[in-house]
Amino acid sequence: MATPNFPKPAPGSQNSNTIAAQYARAKALKDAEGKPKTAPAASAKQQKSTAERLNEVKKERFMSEWWWVLGAFVWFLFIHVTGLYYFTKGFLLTRLVLEEHSACAVPPIAPITSFKGIGTVEAGCWHPKTFDKAVVVIIDALRYDFTIPFTNQSEAQAYHNSLPILYDTAISQPQNAFLLPFIADPPTTTLQRLKGLTTGTLPTFIDAGSNFAGEAIEEDNLLMRLKEEGKRMVHLGDDTWTALFPGYFEEGISKAYPSLNVYDLHTLDNGVLEHIMPLLREKEKKEQWDVMFAHFLGVDHAGHRYGPNHPAMTAKLQQMNTVVGDLIDSVDDDTLLVIMGDHGMDSKGDHGGESDDEVQAALWMYSKKGIFGRTDPAFVTPPATAKIRPVQQIDLLPTLSLLLGLPIPFNNLGKPIEEAFAGKNGNDRGNLAAVTRMAAAGIKRYQAAYYAARGIETSTAEGSPHDLWETAEKTLVKGGVKDKMFRDPYLAFSAYQEETLRICRDLWARFDVPSMILGVGILAAGVLSLMLYANTNSDDEDSIEDLELERAEQQMELEVFAKGAEPVEAETTSRDMVRTAAIGTALGVATGPIFRILMGGDSLLNFGLAPGAIGGLIGVLGQEGKGRMKVTNPFPKTFWGWLAATFTISQSIGFASNSYTIWEDSILLFFLTTFGVAAAVKSLRLEKIADRTLGVYHSGAFIALGWLASFSKLCREEQMPYCRSTYYATANSSTSAPWQLLIPFVLAGFLPSIIKSYYAGSRSYEGFAPVWIGWVFRGGLVLSAIFWTLDAADDAEWFPNLPSGLLKNIRVPIAQTILAIALGAGTTAFIYAPPCVSITTIPGASTSASQPVPAKATVTILGFANVHGTRYLLLVLNILLTLLLVQKPMGFGALSLMTWQSLSLLELLDLTSLTTSPIGPITLALLSSFHFFKTGHQATLASIQWESAFIPLHSILYPYSPILVALNSYGAQILGVVFLPLIILWKQKPKKRGILRSLIAALAWHVAYFATISLATTMWAGHLRRHLMLYRIFCPKFMSAAAALVLVDLFGIAVALTGVRWNSGSVGEIFGWG
Amino acid sequence: MPLIDPVTMSSTTASPKASSPIEVLPKDISRIVSQAHPALLLAAYYMRFPSFVVDPVSTLLSSLLPLAVIQIGYTVICLPPAGTSTKATKKPKPGASKKGLETPTSGPLTAFIALTLTILSSPILFAIQILFGAPLTTHLPHTILSSLHIALLTIFPLVYVHGTDAGKWREIASFYSPIDEVFGGAVGCLLGAWMGAVPIPLDWDREWQKWPVTIVTGAYMGYVAGILVGAWLLKGKRIELD
């Protein structure tokens, strides 16, 4: 608060009550006082217009400078995206897709025994066929332990013992049915699984990103073989199939349903059921198809929405149990029935990764022919856990192909499933050897083609596939065709298949190392230039607060300007940097085609982007380097600089270890508490007892609130058993507990008051602030709280009598209203709002008539001392309101605590004069990274809260759905970067100089933290690319850090920088430009 | 030693001689014991370490008394009790000695008071550990005992030499006390305990990674290092937090 006292010559008109008019009036008083009393009126007028012109020039300078700053951060974004692009291109695994297809008449090897009709689909292309027709049913996310009995009743979960029919039939009719664990290759998303199941090969990681939109499979696959051999296919259910296999299915009888609405458990399943039974039972319809693919999603959606341990899951599994019973009754003797899960689900019902629960699905096959057998009588009982006798999901493809008499698709790497070919009595070893050899020969043919295409030498060493194949062929020759001896060839060919599969898994971890190094190099140079940019623009010392000096400076500036001199040189180095970067990039891009000609191949984009980025980086680094040749000490100069560097660097190093990656949330709490303690220690050194007390109070609040937030946990699997999830009602659910629903209501009451208390410190709760914070913001919070209550009511079916969908129809408009308030009205309000000040003029107290001197009036401006900060905070609150809506109730609490902590951080930095130190922006970055975890996220694919896409929407809507998921996932980081300008703006008076300069230094430090973390995780992921935990830990962490970096860049540009422009504009228009 | 005015004390840059480092008592026995003290602590800790790893609670508990004896012996023999000062005795100034405890005080009595205050202040150290992320619902005896150990290493000698003077303690709490072997040991102990958290998350599955073995180990090692650094390397300097 400041109350400048202006001497008063005349009261002037007091009608206008806008702040601008009030301030102009007050300013006029001051100017009139400033000039010597003897000066003629004309001179005064001229000086005044000089001041106005100077103000104009300053405004223009700010605006044009702002554009250069914007350019600088856009360039950094470009560098980050380019670096990440090259790394990702080399890192996310690629597999060469071969064009070759298998053909019915061309087996990879002549069969051991010929048979009648060989080479025709009627008898069997490569092996005598067993079935004419097949019904393949996928129950999405059917985990193996859903299907086997669980005897301990007291510990049984909702998903136990609800789908017993698969197990029971396998035991009671072993020749008709068998049940086995069915292990998926990660990534365990439905799209990737369907690719793996139909092509028999291992999908590579790069496809994981395309979960939202499938693409047609070009590789040889089961459906391609079926189509070529004239089989008619019908499809029901999940529309991922039609995206992967467009034009394959019989029109009219096929029916696809949208698959991504996880809130809807029944529409798709009921649709499938409506169509499947007529197709199986009605004679006329039965003749229209040969192979049916039906894909149920209810189990998967129940998992995503409620988690596996929920009555909805029990109901869904019981429904599936009935469905299986009906299917058994409906199929005829010549039809094979296959029921399987494409992947499992983790303890919360999500999937995507490679944890045991996610990869362990179930496979059950059934036929009325009674041809299934076991090579050991003990195998009749299905395995008790998925670790015993599992089959790989790629094994289904050769099994189905040979049973249906089809050629095995060209890229297959699986082997036929023993139970399907061992014969009724489990002793038909001749058959087993024949099918295994045929599949192995296919693999050998594929391997040879792949090696030829890639130019890899085949090893002939002992134990190599080549050697194993030779051995297998020898055992075959020795053993002749006698059944007893056939055990050896079967095992020998199996060994060949297993070794080849192992090698292929390794091989497809083929990384493009030069591209990865290029990406890392660009990112590293980007971090360096960002830090140099931050450093050149940071102030070495705090400007001294001296009103007299300031006034004298202003006066001098005015005089110099009146003589016609340009005011001052550019405020920041952005202009030079952007120019150099642009020239460098242009030159670099120009050399791109030359590189392309020299090195050949690849797309022009790849050859233009890298030289462009490198050219710009060389230019910027060269320029920065030249300017600071004399600076020899690259280390931080202050304790706080060291602290910031320690936090960032030790964390970066820590990401090389899976433990520190897993426990990142605890480490961040540790660092934040460390900062809080250091700030408390620093505060104790302050001179004034009031400052000391405030400093200790805010440090304490900062620490305590962070600690409180640390109770919101969503544990990742690797943290078990040392972690207990609290984010949802139970560890096995993804719905909030009733008490958690109170959090938003409580905060709707408290949070605005807490924010108000931070305004009160500088008497800034004036102007627009009471309306916006006390009413609009609070109203938005209440609506949010109501939204989440309705959501919970819908989930738990509190009101079973209400028509279904009614609650959804009520809450979606509520969410839309909140967004309209926060983003629509909020932005408009922010642009046009006056600063949070109140100006009062108390007329001079001319009490005494005898007084000869004119009485003085006092102009009081409440909130003057924090004009910039309090106004900008309104923008932060709008963003906060948006982010709070898309968080679950616990996340709502976490982000509110983060806001409170950030406000205390501002006060602390101000008290300890650390606003221009890197520690502020870095602590804020740590804080936002910490709350990423506290809003129920982890650096894993499974923790993405996909359902947030539906908060204000009824169905998937591009581009809004992905944006909502991003706002949910990175809400804390977004809030952090939007909050960041306050470190500079908080408690700054109008006309404060160098705001933009300090701001870009702060923003650059903040971004530098995320860029460093991103660089480190990139490097480690690249370096540890053969690590066992790559896809479980390092790769997800790298992706999560990269996404955070890009989002922080984007929101820094779009909200923080842009917001400051409007904010400074508004303040400058009224109080003049600094 | 000049009296510290609470106002000028805080702006210590202006008056750097506001307080001066503690000197070991100028007796041969004091010098010898002060040299032996870190070595004795480390040796004792090393010997107890295996049983500490096996059973942290009972080892920490049973070694509390020996630790207290070592610390009492060390302070009483080597350090000037609160209210006296090696320097102050040389050039006394009128009205200069207004310490929290009356002068001159006997060592054992000061030690007894210091011990009481140490135990009373250990909940603060406990709370700090919790705020840094120590388990709240489990391992409570572990955390309490580790707080007591750290308190005996840090707070006890500080109370013994500085008494309860509020100004002095503000100086200590803001880490601005001139470095000597007592303050250096305390800072080293806290830094060591802080760094002791580093190996906990690692998945090496070692017994010694369990709570609070690394913290207490870091505290002891940091304490010894701090004493040595405070007594020799950085004596009289101050920690700047700019």
Side-chain angles (χ1 to χ4, degrees):
Chain A
M1 183 203 68
T3 54
N5 296 325
F6 301 119
K8 166 233 170 187
S13 72
Q14 302 213 341
N15 301 330
S16 168
N17 51 9
T18 68
I19 285 171
Q22 286 177 24
Y23 186 72
R25 218 160 45 238
K27 198 166 177 298
L29 305 185
K30 179 202 149 196
D31 286 349
E33 166 66 17
K35 70 175 198 267
K37 279 187 178 151
T38 49
S43 155
K45 201 169 189 179
Q46 197 189 340
Q47 196 181 9
K48 209 172 149 189
S49 68
T50 312
E52 270 168 15
R53 275 195 296 128
L54 178 62
N55 203 37
E56 282 296 305
V57 169
K58 281 180 170 178
K59 177 184 175 182
E60 256 168 48
R61 204 186 65 192
F62 176 89
M63 292 303 179
S64 71
E65 188 73 35
W66 184 86
W67 281 108
W68 290 111
V69 169
L70 187 76
F73 280 94
V74 169
W75 183 72
F76 282 120
L77 171 64
F78 163 72
I79 291 296
H80 294 152
V81 171
T82 310
L84 291 170
Y85 167 74
Y86 280 101
F87 180 81
T88 311
K89 190 166 82 68
F91 175 69
L92 290 184
L93 297 179
T94 49
R95 182 170 55 88
L96 198 62
V97 174
L98 297 182
E99 303 278 309
E100 284 96 329
H101 295 163
S102 293
C104 188
V106 192
I109 195 166
I112 304 172
T113 47
S114 192
F115 55 91
K116 196 183 166 204
I118 185 168
T120 62
V121 73
E122 287 74 29
C125 291
W126 300 352
H127 189 82
K129 78 167 176 188
T130 316
F131 296 101
D132 290 323
K133 301 179 80 166
V135 176
V136 178
V137 177
I138 294 179
I139 299 176
D140 208 288
L142 181 68
R143 206 163 78 186
Y144 184 66
D145 62 346
F146 293 0
T147 64
I148 49 172
F150 189 82
T151 45
N152 188 346
Q153 281 304 324
S154 60
E155 284 174 28
Q157 308 275 306
Y159 51 78
H160 281 132
N161 301 331
S162 301
L163 180 51
I165 190 165
L166 305 180
Y167 186 89
D168 294 347
T169 47
I171 296 219
S172 62
Q173 320 164 39
Q175 293 175 355
N176 297 75
F178 66 86
L179 172 66
L180 285 173
F182 195 39
I183 307 300
D185 290 295
T188 48
T189 57
T190 296
L191 178 80
Q192 303 307 115
R193 288 291 79 238
L194 292 187
K195 282 189 178 178
L197 283 165
T198 55
T199 62
T201 187
L202 309 170
T204 43
F205 205 81
I206 197 154
D207 298 305
S210 45
N211 204 353
F212 267 106
E215 47 192 323
I217 298 182
E218 302 292 331
E219 266 184 301
D220 198 11
N221 61 63
L222 179 69
L223 282 84
M224 211 179 253
R225 289 305 101 224
L226 285 165
K227 197 179 181 191
E228 198 151 297
E229 302 308 331
K231 301 271 186 185
R232 293 156 304 160
M233 288 169 275
V234 60
H235 161 256
L236 298 170
D238 189 338
D239 63 356
T240 314
W241 284 88
T242 45
L244 288 173
F245 305 103
Y248 278 68
F249 304 112
E250 297 294 309
E251 281 176 31
I253 50 173
S254 294
K255 187 84 179 123
Y257 296 85
S259 57
L260 290 173
N261 191 349
V262 295
Y263 271 100
D264 185 348
L265 269 58
H266 302 296
T267 307
L268 184 143
D269 287 4
N270 292 343
V272 174
L273 290 176
E274 184 191 328
H275 293 93
I276 195 166
M277 291 308 163
L279 283 171
L280 287 169
R281 287 173 181 162
E282 288 171 21
K283 197 165 187 297
E284 183 197 342
K285 285 196 168 175
K286 223 166 130 178
E287 282 163 3
Q288 293 176 19
W289 58 272
D290 297 305
V291 177
M292 177 195 289
F293 298 96
H295 194 141
F296 292 96
L297 281 177
V299 174
D300 180 55
H301 285 186
H304 281 301
R305 186 172 169 187
Y306 303 107
N309 192 18
H310 189 279
M313 181 64 83
T314 315
K316 204 71 218 179
L317 289 172
Q318 284 166 349
Q319 182 194 17
M320 288 298 128
N321 199 54
T322 319
V323 170
V324 175
D326 291 349
L327 288 173
I328 290 175
D329 294 343
S330 309
V331 294
D332 58 29
D333 286 1
D334 286 328
T335 305
L336 171 69
L337 175 59
V338 181
I339 290 179
M340 61 181 158
D342 56 343
H343 50 73
M345 59 175 71
D346 67 9
S347 58
K348 293 195 296 66
D350 298 322
H351 55 87
E354 54 176 297
S355 69
D356 282 350
D357 277 344
E358 286 167 280
V359 301
Q360 292 170 347
L363 171 70
W364 178 82
M365 282 199 180
Y366 176 85
S367 111
K368 291 196 167 136
K369 269 190 183 169
I371 56 138
F372 299 135
R374 313 287 190 282
T375 51
D376 186 318
F379 290 174
V380 168
T381 310
T385 75
K387 295 286 182 198
I388 305 164
R389 294 195 296 122
V391 295
Q392 299 294 313
Q393 292 209 343
I394 51 173
D395 295 347
L396 181 70
L397 181 73
T399 310
L400 269 183
S401 301
L402 294 176
L403 287 176
L404 290 170
L406 295 165
I408 304 175
F410 190 79
N411 341 271
N412 167 59
L413 291 173
K415 68 165 188 178
I417 295 167
E418 192 177 274
E419 276 75 357
F421 296 99
K424 271 185 218 201
N425 303 318
N427 57 1
D428 193 352
R429 299 223 167 76
N431 195 36
L432 273 177
V435 291
T436 316
R437 178 168 170 268
M438 187 56 74
I443 294 171
K444 189 163 183 283
R445 185 173 69 171
Y446 171 67
Q447 196 194 17
Y450 192 87
Y451 278 22
R454 263 263 142 107
I456 304 170
E457 289 289 315
T458 315
S459 160
T460 53
E462 197 174 329
S464 69
H466 182 266
D467 178 53
L468 289 170
W469 175 265
E470 296 291 322
T471 318
E473 283 287 274
K474 270 181 216 153
T475 53
L476 187 66
V477 175
K478 264 194 273 174
V481 288
K482 281 182 203 159
D483 264 5
K484 264 187 186 170
M485 303 302 290
F486 256 104
R487 194 175 175 87
D488 277 338
Y490 165 53
L491 292 181
F493 284 114
S494 295
Y496 167 81
Q497 182 267 345
E498 277 158 24
E499 175 63 10
T500 312
L501 184 61
R502 193 191 63 74
I503 288 178
C504 286
R505 278 188 212 278
D506 269 5
L507 194 66
W508 289 328
R510 272 181 82 84
F511 300 94
D512 182 353
V513 178
S515 180
M516 285 159 62
I517 293 176
L518 183 63
V520 168
I522 291 174
L523 282 177
V527 169
L528 191 61
S529 15
L530 194 54
M531 283 164 60
L532 289 174
Y533 178 63
N535 222 334
T536 358
N537 287 299
S538 45
D539 292 317
D540 289 335
E541 63 224 56
D542 268 332
S543 54
I544 302 141
E545 294 270 320
D546 187 338
L547 281 175
E548 279 307 307
L549 196 70
E550 227 168 78
R551 197 168 288 181
E553 263 180 15
Q554 281 172 6
Q555 190 64 33
M556 199 161 81
E557 190 183 35
L558 204 60
E559 279 162 17
V560 171
F561 182 72
K563 285 173 195 156
E566 273 297 301
V568 217
E569 76 286 0
E571 189 181 326
T572 75
T573 59
S574 310
R575 184 174 172 153
D576 292 342
M577 201 199 78
V578 172
R579 281 185 175 169
T580 321
I583 294 168
T585 307
L587 286 177
V589 170
T591 62
I594 303 171
F595 278 107
R596 191 181 175 212
I597 292 161
L598 286 178
M599 295 162 78
D602 222 338
S603 72
L604 195 57
L605 174 75
N606 291 343
F607 276 100
L609 212 52
I614 294 168
L617 284 166
I618 291 173
V620 169
L621 287 175
Q623 187 194 36
E624 292 279 350
K626 216 164 62 183
R628 42 178 42 246
M629 282 302 245
K630 40 187 188 287
V631 181
T632 46
N633 187 1
F635 295 106
K637 290 187 236 22
T638 66
F639 167 79
W640 300 98
W642 274 109
L643 198 61
T646 308
F647 289 158
T648 313
I649 294 168
S650 60
Q651 231 198 335
S652 301
I653 296 171
F655 286 129
S657 137
N658 41 6
S659 318
Y660 289 124
T661 311
I662 292 166
W663 293 101
E664 192 186 345
D665 55 340
S666 305
I667 291 161
L668 286 166
L669 175 69
F670 187 75
F671 284 164
L672 287 170
T673 307
T674 304
F675 168 79
V677 169
V681 167
K682 171 86 178 169
S683 301
L684 282 171
R685 298 184 175 194
L686 292 173
E687 277 182 43
K688 290 184 197 156
I689 189 143
D691 288 350
R692 259 202 313 264
T693 316
L694 270 180
V696 172
Y697 162 72
H698 285 300
S699 318
F702 182 85
I703 296 172
L705 295 170
W707 182 76
L708 190 63
S710 76
F711 286 93
S712 165
K713 277 183 196 159
L714 182 106
C715 307
R716 58 189 290 165
E717 199 204 3
E718 294 83 358
Q719 290 181 318
M720 297 300 174
Y722 305 107
C723 178
R724 203 169 62 84
S725 288
T726 54
Y727 196 74
Y728 296 116
T730 66
N732 287 338
S733 73
S734 50
T735 51
S736 301
W739 71 267
Q740 287 171 331
L741 296 173
L742 289 176
I743 296 173
F745 283 106
V746 171
L747 283 168
F750 271 106
L751 190 59
S753 310
I754 290 162
I755 292 164
K756 178 184 169 184
S757 75
Y758 283 85
Y759 274 72
S762 52
R763 302 222 188 153
S764 300
Y765 203 61
E766 301 290 344
F768 203 46
V771 176
W772 199 254
I773 298 170
W775 294 99
V776 181
F777 180 62
R778 181 171 268 140
L781 295 181
V782 171
L783 284 178
S784 248
I786 294 172
F787 172 89
W788 283 106
T789 310
L790 291 176
D791 178 75
D794 201 2
D795 273 353
E797 291 175 2
W798 290 348
F799 310 109
N801 299 331
L802 287 181
S804 76
L806 177 68
L807 287 171
K808 175 92 183 158
N809 287 337
I810 298 173
R811 70 173 192 262
V812 166
I814 292 179
Q816 290 169 345
T817 309
I818 296 170
L819 291 180
I821 292 172
L823 297 177
T827 310
T828 317
F830 174 72
I831 291 172
Y832 295 107
C836 305
V837 293
S838 152
I839 299 177
T840 50
T841 310
I842 303 159
S846 48
T847 45
S848 163
S850 61
Q851 203 172 351
V853 198
K856 292 188 177 182
T858 310
V859 179
T860 309
I861 307 177
L862 291 177
F864 185 81
N866 196 0
V867 168
H868 282 284
T870 49
R871 191 183 182 284
Y872 182 84
L873 186 54
L874 297 178
L875 174 66
V876 178
L877 296 181
N878 295 336
I879 302 290
L880 177 65
L881 190 57
T882 311
L883 294 172
L884 288 177
L885 169 68
V886 297
Q887 302 297 333
K888 301 274 168 74
M890 278 297 262
F892 195 109
L895 280 192
S896 304
L897 289 179
M898 175 177 164
T899 310
W900 192 352
Q901 278 186 289
S902 308
L903 287 166
S904 271
L905 177 67
L906 294 182
E907 294 288 343
L908 269 181
L909 294 173
D910 180 60
L911 281 167
T912 52
S913 315
L914 287 172
T915 50
T916 54
S917 162
I919 191 71
I922 301 283
T923 305
L924 192 60
L926 291 174
L927 194 62
S928 53
S929 308
F930 173 66
H931 283 279
F932 166 77
F933 296 99
K934 300 305 130 193
T935 48
H937 299 97
Q938 286 285 352
T940 59
L941 285 177
S943 78
I944 297 174
Q945 299 169 14
W946 294 109
E947 60 275 25
S948 55
F950 298 97
I951 287 169
L953 298 171
H954 288 283
S955 59
I956 296 264
L957 186 63
Y958 292 96
Y960 301 106
S961 299
I963 290 176
L964 286 162
V965 174
L967 288 177
N968 169 283
S969 301
Y970 295 97
Q973 281 96 336
I974 291 168
L975 181 61
V977 72
V978 169
F979 200 90
L980 179 102
L982 285 173
I983 291 180
I984 302 303
L985 299 179
W986 197 247
K987 302 227 168 150
Q988 294 302 350
K989 281 181 272 197
K991 298 187 84 169
K992 165 78 182 172
R993 299 220 181 156
I995 280 192
L996 197 58
R997 189 179 154 86
S998 310
L999 174 74
I1000 59 173
L1003 185 56
W1005 284 122
H1006 191 74
V1007 173
Y1009 169 84
F1010 290 99
T1012 310
I1013 296 298
S1014 190
L1015 169 68
T1017 51
T1018 306
M1019 277 166 52
W1020 298 131
H1023 178 68
L1024 300 167
R1025 60 190 180 276
R1026 305 283 178 198
H1027 195 283
L1028 190 64
M1029 292 287 173
L1030 180 70
Y1031 288 125
R1032 246 171 140 150
I1033 291 172
F1034 299 109
C1035 184
K1037 179 62 214 175
F1038 144 69
M1039 296 198 295
S1040 157
L1045 173 63
V1046 172
L1047 281 173
V1048 164
D1049 271 337
L1050 281 173
F1051 277 83
I1053 293 166
V1055 182
L1057 281 180
T1058 312
V1060 168
R1061 182 189 164 96
W1062 283 109
N1063 203 54
S1064 297
S1066 164
V1067 174
E1069 283 305 311
I1070 293 169
F1071 294 99
W1073 294 79
Chain B
M1 197 168 75
L3 176 71
I4 303 150
D5 183 293
V7 178
T8 53
M9 183 235 83
S10 47
S11 63
T12 28
T13 36
S15 55
K17 286 185 180 177
S19 62
S20 48
I22 297 291
E23 302 284 347
V24 174
L25 292 172
K27 284 185 271 182
D28 284 344
I29 177 82
S30 307
R31 291 201 188 96
I32 292 165
V33 171
S34 78
Q35 302 288 317
H37 168 239
L40 179 66
L41 270 182
L42 271 194
Y45 187 78
Y46 180 77
M47 292 193 22
R48 298 291 282 155
F49 188 75
S51 72
F52 180 26
V53 172
V54 174
D55 186 356
V57 172
S58 63
T59 312
L60 282 177
L61 189 63
S62 66
S63 53
L64 265 182
L65 193 62
L67 174 65
V69 169
I70 291 177
Q71 291 297 81
I72 290 169
Y74 158 67
T75 47
V76 168
I77 295 171
C78 307
L79 300 175
T84 64
S85 166
T86 42
K87 276 187 181 167
T89 48
K90 278 173 196 164
K91 25 175 192 171
K93 279 183 183 175
S97 52
K98 277 194 207 159
K99 291 286 169 100
L101 294 173
E102 286 304 309
T103 49
T105 337
S106 75
L109 180 64
T110 316
F112 175 74
I113 296 167
L115 198 59
T116 316
L117 291 175
T118 301
I119 292 166
L120 289 178
S121 65
S122 68
I124 298 171
L125 290 168
F126 173 81
I128 290 174
Q129 289 187 67
I130 295 288
L131 287 174
F132 268 98
L136 179 70
T137 49
T138 58
H139 295 81
L140 285 184
H142 303 67
T143 314
I144 291 168
L145 285 166
S146 88
S147 313
L148 280 169
H149 273 252
I150 294 172
L152 274 172
L153 295 176
T154 56
I155 294 174
F156 175 73
L158 281 169
V159 179
Y160 182 85
V161 296
H162 296 301
T164 52
D165 179 81
K168 183 65 204 175
W169 272 95
R170 195 181 302 138
E171 201 183 48
I172 291 168
S174 60
F175 285 68
Y176 202 69
S177 191
I179 293 176
D180 49 47
E181 70 171 81
V182 177
F183 184 63
V187 172
C189 179
L190 295 178
L191 274 182
W194 185 83
M195 298 209 341
V198 171
I200 296 176
L202 287 170
D203 59 352
W204 296 346
D205 288 330
R206 298 300 157 92
E207 273 297 292
W208 54 259
Q209 280 178 293
K210 68 187 180 192
W211 183 259
V213 176
T214 54
I215 302 290
V216 177
T217 307
Y220 272 84
M221 286 173 22
Y223 180 59
V224 169
I227 287 179
L228 299 178
V229 170
W232 306 103
L233 215 58
L234 295 175
K235 181 147 187 173
K237 295 215 168 62
R238 287 174 195 267
I239 300 169
E240 296 292 344
L241 284 187
D242 291 326

